[in-house]
Every structure is written in structure tokens, then in C-alpha cells.
Amino acid sequence: MRNERAFELESITVHYGHARALEDVDLHVAEGEVVALLGDNGAGKSTLLKVMSGAHRPTAGRIHAHGAEVDFRSPKDAAAAGVQMVYQDLALVDAMDIAANLSLGREHVVKGPLGRLGVLDRRRMRKESQAELDALGVRTAPMTRPVELLSGGQRQVVAIARAAARLGERGVLLLDEPTAALGHEQTELVEDLIRALAVKGTAIVIVTHNLPLAMAVSDRVVVLNRGRKVGDIATSLADQDRVVSWITGAAVQGD
């Protein structure tokens, strides 16, 4: 059910010496919910994502995954708790094909002596990779196509699908500017994948400067300004002009 919280931040504060990056920020995302995390440059969005992904430890505050308090000391800890992050650079290997990128870190070797020498079972990897994409209802290109030959939207889909495959059930997916520099049709590919993952129960947090994207795919909008949360509202109730005023600092929720 959607009302079960998959991930929750409570009073998260991050200070770098005397500089304040985040101050007393609360945020939660439920299973099957898409939360758009908005804010101007320097608002604290990337820092909050890094806290959620285990890349940064907060100065103060608590993190809960599926109701249990967790202490992320590294991205590996976050991954073990079912949290995957897709950064803007995507971390794809351009010279490798789609299947190899989707299987990265989960490769299969052939049976027998060649397997002991590390020879990969590419046929199995391609079959499983295609099945993963089919389960998400998305199409990119043949599994044998090198990533360097894909469009920006196709590359983004591969990166998101790879993270989704590592989530398992009831996972949390963090997306950093997933449609940056994409055209309209390519953005639609990413939007469709986000919706498909939410239907499967994945909790998703998207950092984006693309307000139309945020309004189109999210269930809730959270706005940061200068390290503080100034807005948190169901997208269906959100007025775009008011959201912009929160982003710019002209208003806070309740004004």
C-alpha cells in the first residue's frame, strides 16, 4: 500500500564548518510514491540526496528505511538497505553494450573450465537484461548495441533500469536531474519508466529543475530554499506559481 513509508529523514542537518548546507530537514517517501525535490542552485538538494544515498553523513538527524533506523556510512550501506542512486553522469561504460551495462557488477560466467577463467556468459546476460526491460515495459535498442551509440534518453533509461534491477522489492530510487539536456521525446521515455517503476511499488525521489516534469510525474512536491524545507504539498493541490515562489524564496508554505 502506498501509505507505508519506504524512507524517512528526520531533522537532517549538515554543516561544513560554519557553513550550513541543510538545517532541520524532514522528508519522507512512501512505497509507489514519486516525490519531486525542487529548489534553486545552492538550496541543498544535492546534499540531501547524498545523505540519502550514503555519500554524506549528516551532522545531526535520523534516517529510517522501512521503519528501521539506519546509519549509512557509505553508498554500500545505502544499497544494502535498498537505496539506489542514479547520478547525472549515469556511470555507464560507453564501449560496452546495453546488456553488459545492465549486468555490471552482476555478471554471469559460463559453466566449466572457461568460467573459472572468467569468461562471461553473454547470452544469458543479454536474455536476463532484455527480460528486465520487458518487465518495466520499456524499449531502448538491441541488447548488443554499444551505449555510446544510444540517444540521451536511451542512455538515461539504461541507467535507471540498471539501478531498478538492483533494488529488488520495496526499493528506493534517487534520481539526480534525470532529464537534463534531453529533448521532448527522450524526456517522455524517462517519464514512462518512472511511472512504471512507481506502479511496481518503487519509492522515487527526483531532483530536477524541470518544473513541468515534476508536476507531470510526481505525487508530491518538496521545496528547499537555502538549506531549509519551505514547501511540502501533494502535486494535485500544488499551484505552480506558488511552488515557484517557494523556490525563489519569495514565500514559504503557510504564507
Side-chain angles (χ1 to χ4, degrees):
M1 292 181 63
R2 176 166 290 192
N3 60 359
E4 182 176 345
R5 293 186 176 184
F7 202 76
E8 185 172 8
L9 304 177
E10 182 181 344
S11 301
I12 294 297
T13 296
V14 175
H15 290 169
Y16 300 112
H18 295 295
R20 181 192 69 195
L22 295 171
E23 192 70 36
D24 202 28
V25 174
D26 296 331
L27 184 146
H28 68 271
V29 57
E31 294 178 8
E33 183 181 30
V34 181
V35 172
L37 182 60
L38 309 178
D40 210 345
N41 292 332
K45 306 183 304 298
S46 294
T47 300
L48 194 61
L49 270 192
K50 289 175 181 177
V51 169
M52 297 177 74
S53 67
H56 279 359
R57 296 190 72 192
T59 306
R62 296 189 295 179
I63 304 172
H64 292 83
H66 299 291
E69 187 168 355
V70 292
D71 179 17
F72 295 160
R73 296 176 179 272
S74 69
K76 184 177 180 180
D77 291 342
V83 179
Q84 287 286 333
M85 173 81 174
V86 180
Y87 291 95
Q88 281 184 263
D89 64 7
L90 304 183
L92 298 175
V93 181
D94 286 347
M96 294 169 61
D97 63 25
I98 293 174
N101 272 278
L102 287 171
S103 303
L104 203 62
R106 304 178 296 138
E107 295 88 350
H108 298 294
V109 296
V110 297
K111 295 180 180 179
L114 291 178
R116 290 192 288 273
L117 294 174
V119 176
L120 298 179
D121 189 342
R122 298 189 183 278
R123 179 178 297 179
R124 179 181 175 186
M125 289 162 56
R126 288 167 183 161
K127 183 178 180 180
E128 291 186 357
S129 295
Q130 186 65 64
E132 289 171 354
L133 291 182
D134 288 345
L136 294 173
V138 296
R139 295 288 184 271
T140 53
M143 289 293 103
T144 55
R145 183 167 299 176
V147 163
E148 62 189 352
L149 299 181
L150 300 182
S151 69
Q154 290 173 325
R155 290 168 60 88
Q156 187 66 253
V157 165
V158 170
I160 295 174
R162 182 179 65 187
R166 297 173 178 176
L167 286 175
E169 295 183 0
R170 303 170 67 206
V172 180
L173 182 63
L174 311 176
L175 303 177
D176 187 10
E177 297 288 357
T179 61
L182 297 187
H184 177 70
E185 291 185 3
Q186 295 177 351
T187 296
E188 285 187 336
L189 279 177
V190 176
E191 289 180 6
D192 290 344
L193 179 52
I194 290 170
R195 293 189 183 100
L197 288 168
V199 168
K200 291 170 66 70
T202 303
I204 303 172
V205 177
I206 307 173
V207 163
T208 181
H209 283 92
N210 186 337
L211 189 54
L213 169 72
M215 304 300 283
V217 302
S218 70
D219 299 291
R220 193 157 46 85
V221 171
V222 174
V223 181
L224 299 182
N225 185 277
R226 297 185 181 182
R228 293 183 178 274
K229 186 171 79 171
V230 296
D232 188 338
I233 191 172
T235 307
S236 60
L237 302 176
D239 175 85
Q240 187 162 315
D241 291 338
R242 178 55 60 89
V243 171
V244 170
S245 74
W246 292 341
I247 292 172
T248 61
V252 298
Q253 192 167 10
D255 286 355

